[in-house]
Amino acid sequence: MSTSAVSAVREAFARMAEVDAGPTGLNCILWTDESRALVDARAVDDAAAPGALTGMPFVAKDNIATTHLQTTCGSRILEGYVSPYEATVITRLRAAGAVLVGKTNCDEFAMGSSNEYSAWGPVLNPVDRTRVPGGSSGGSAASVAAGIVRIALGSETGGSVRQPASYCGIVGVKPTYGRVSRFGLVAFASSLDQIGVFGATVHDAALALEVIAGRDPRDATSGDCPVTPYRLAATADLTGVMIGRPREYFPASLDPRVAARCDAALDQLRARGADVRDVSLPHTELAIPVYYIIAPAEASSNLARFDGVRYGLRVPSDSLGEMYEHTRTRGFGPEVTRRILLGTYVLSAGYYDAYYRKAQEVRTLIAKDFLEVFDSGVHLLFTPTTPTPAFELGAKSDPYEMYLNDIFTATANLSGVPAISVPIGEIDGLPIGGQLIGRHFEEQAMFRVAFALEAARAEAR
Ligand code: GLN
């Protein structure tokens, strides 16, 4: 056990050197500055009063702005870019005594489900290095799973915290849309994006979320709902809690081993007094097509700012137009290019009504499904986080195959509701997560049941 911030930070760097560095390392951390982290740690040790996270080293995804380390979003177009300001989430974690030890690898601009779309190479899954850690926040997930840190920041647009948490056997939270300030998060799809947290345990994740959540005057989309102490949400008795098991998340095609792990977890919740009811969210199957219209549409607009003039890469050319073109062609990787093309297409005058407007209409139906189920007396939904455990590197060369990975996670982003992935078991030695989805701004209830799932699993071992 560390006795000071300085020794905790030294341990994090020692672990990093052991598992992350070199050609055979995990490749989860992109940018670090040990001497700077030690300066911060000394300041924490010298502070008069301890904070909620005193001495806890943490890492942040490379799309969250930091003033001493680069913020490249896993992209060549931002190589060397250092932000002049710091994201609110970083400021809040630091104010609570946590120390930033690195920026983590991710799919380029958070687009992906395997971390294979990073300009800086893939991240390996610490549980099995032949497999992906999930994405897009794969570096953050792997950093926690490999024991470098206990808490990490990621971002969620369609599942990028929960899916890698499931693949790496850790806890991952997507808070309610508006729960956490996005000041300093590089925008991907603004109506979906939210910063999320990874924890080695439910307690770690709860503590980190508690510190970063709440209204921020610098983000007009942040909500003003009170933040409760999520870390104290655990109760041994779940009497009176109604859990919904949505049938669309347990299709006949679901791997029976995944379904079995989920049903065992539901039995554990019943044993603690919860009631479980079958429910239906009829528009679930439309989530992937809707997400892959809305997210690229918003991305095509957000990514217009990377033009070679203001940030990062610039490819000198004969004319301004050519400079834009060459910079963007060289700076963006194939997946980002695909999304920009797709997004520009669905927003174009002739197709706007057929695709973008239609997708927005269906999105409303998906959100209504959740509200109706919650209004019928269900407090939380329980589903698999992912249809399978982590797949092998290179296994999904078809982009559509990759997109299907988000089938159980994208719905929460489209609806804005909070969700958490908690490890519930293993399949052939590979972790698999169970997902709890709650009502808007009711993270407390979600954590209560997440603690119960974690405790039940610990007892069963
Ligand atoms: N995998 C999804 C995508 O590729 C989700 C990404 C995310 O949540 N940032 O868009």
Side-chain angles (χ1 to χ4, degrees), residues 344-409:
T344 311
Y345 177 80
V346 299
L347 289 176
S348 61
Y351 296 102
Y352 185 93
D353 285 335
Y355 294 110
Y356 187 69
R357 189 187 303 282
K358 188 52 94 193
Q360 290 290 17
E361 285 166 6
V362 179
R363 176 183 187 170
T364 307
L365 297 176
I366 292 170
K368 246 178 80 200
D369 281 354
F370 280 105
L371 295 181
E372 279 171 12
V373 158
F374 289 134
D375 284 346
S376 76
V378 167
H379 299 112
L380 290 157
L381 297 163
F382 182 83
T383 79
T385 307
T386 50
T388 63
F391 49 88
E392 283 175 355
L393 286 145
K396 307 230 186 256
S397 48
D398 173 1
Y400 187 66
E401 279 270 303
M402 189 74 89
Y403 298 169
L404 286 176
N405 250 284
D406 309 329
I407 191 128
F408 299 145
T409 50

Side-chain angles (χ1 to χ4, degrees), residues 11 38 73 99 161 172 177 194 212 243 253 271 420 442 447:
E11 275 171 34
L38 285 169
C73 299
V99 180
V161 169
Y177 185 78
Q194 188 59 195
I212 62 170
I243 314 266
S253 56
I420 186 170
E442 291 189 3
F447 276 113

Side-chain angles (χ1 to χ4, degrees), residues 44-353:
V44 167
D45 284 336
D46 292 345
L53 294 171
T54 282
M56 288 271 269
F58 75 100
V59 292
K61 188 174 180 177
D62 198 32
N63 59 354
I64 298 176
T66 51
T67 47
H68 296 285
L69 296 172
Q70 292 183 55
T71 300
T72 72
C73 299
S75 180
R76 289 218 176 269
I77 210 160
L78 281 174
E79 185 167 10
Y81 173 72
V82 179
S83 168
Y85 62 88
E86 185 173 85
T88 297
V89 288
I90 304 279
T91 308
R92 288 189 179 175
L93 286 175
R94 280 157 37 88
V99 180
L100 178 69
V101 296
K103 295 293 284 296
T104 57
N105 204 345
C106 57
D107 286 299
E108 188 175 2
F109 285 100
M111 299 174 189
S113 307
S114 69
N115 220 120
E116 294 167 295
Y117 297 149
S118 166
W120 318 121
V123 175
L124 310 184
N125 190 319
V127 182
D128 174 348
R129 292 184 180 217
T130 65
R131 294 182 186 259
V132 303
S136 60
S137 315
S140 287
S143 300
V144 173
I148 297 169
V149 287
R150 297 188 63 89
I151 55 175
L153 295 175
S155 71
E156 267 265 359
T157 304
S160 281
V161 169
R162 288 163 288 154
Q163 187 253 22
S166 174
Y167 282 6
C168 291
I170 58 168
V171 176
V173 184
K174 180 206 101 72
T176 308
Y177 185 78
R179 181 48 108 184
V180 173
S181 169
R182 299 184 295 177
F183 179 76
L185 171 69
V186 178
F188 163 8
S190 309
S191 76
L192 301 161
D193 296 342
Q194 188 59 195
I195 289 173
V197 296
F198 292 95
T201 61
V202 175
H203 184 270
D204 292 328
L207 192 55
L209 184 63
E210 217 176 288
V211 167
I212 62 170
R215 169 92 188 137
D216 174 15
R218 292 200 271 196
D219 175 4
T221 64
S222 65
D224 210 0
C225 291
V227 178
T228 51
Y230 306 133
R231 69 187 185 287
L232 303 178
T235 54
D237 184 11
L238 296 179
T239 303
V241 177
M242 177 63 78
I243 314 266
R245 181 188 186 277
R247 70 176 65 102
E248 292 78 7
Y249 289 71
F250 293 89
S253 56
L254 183 65
D255 182 333
R257 296 168 304 173
V258 175
R261 302 296 178 281
C262 287
D263 285 328
L266 282 167
D267 283 342
Q268 292 167 337
L269 296 180
R270 273 196 204 94
R272 284 169 189 248
D275 284 314
V276 179
R277 182 200 286 175
D278 282 328
V279 296
S280 172
L281 298 159
H283 298 95
T284 302
E285 65 168 356
L286 299 172
I288 291 298
V290 165
Y291 173 86
Y292 280 98
I293 290 173
I294 293 176
E298 294 183 16
S300 70
S301 161
N302 275 324
L303 269 54
R305 61 172 65 88
F306 302 106
D307 55 5
V309 176
R310 287 166 287 192
Y311 319 89
L313 181 74
R314 175 182 305 166
V315 180
S317 307
D318 293 339
S319 70
L320 184 64
E322 277 174 330
M323 190 280 286
Y324 290 154
E325 200 179 312
H326 296 153
T327 299
R328 286 170 68 83
T329 303
R330 186 153 344 141
F332 290 136
E335 182 61 22
V336 173
T337 305
R338 179 157 41 238
R339 305 265 182 129
I340 292 173
L341 288 172
L342 199 63
T344 311
Y345 177 80
V346 299
L347 289 176
S348 61
Y351 296 102
Y352 185 93
D353 285 335

